[in-house]
Amino acid sequence: DRSTRSSFGASALSAEDSLKRAEELLEKLEQARARLELTEDPEAAIEVLSELAEIAKQVEAELARARREAGA
């Protein structure tokens, strides 16, 4: 059925987009982690840790979205 194939293609593309966003977020996560290693300022370290936690939540959300869309 054409609509099923079209829907499947859209889901696969959406899942692929979610995975790409997750990869971009993982890169941001790595950059923040590297900044954390370089800092000796406790206040700056706390800020980076907060940023790491937020990015990790975003990565989890994108991966969950990709799983849902791939299974749709």
Side-chain angles (χ1 to χ4, degrees):
D1 175 74
R2 174 176 252 158
S3 65
T4 302
R5 281 191 303 242
S6 177
S7 174
F8 175 74
S11 289
L13 185 58
S14 295
E16 197 171 299
D17 289 343
S18 289
L19 289 175
K20 182 177 179 187
R21 284 191 298 269
E23 289 174 353
E24 291 168 356
L25 288 167
L26 286 171
E27 179 61 31
K28 284 178 64 175
L29 194 71
E30 179 57 31
Q31 291 171 1
R33 187 201 57 76
R35 284 197 322 272
L36 181 62
E37 283 185 2
L38 295 174
T39 190
E40 294 184 17
D41 176 15
E43 290 296 319
I46 290 170
E47 287 180 28
V48 174
L49 286 170
S50 294
E51 182 182 346
L52 285 167
E54 183 58 36
I55 294 169
K57 287 179 192 175
Q58 293 172 359
V59 169
E60 286 181 34
E62 287 299 336
L63 292 175
R65 184 176 296 123
R67 281 187 210 106
R68 280 193 313 273
E69 291 171 352

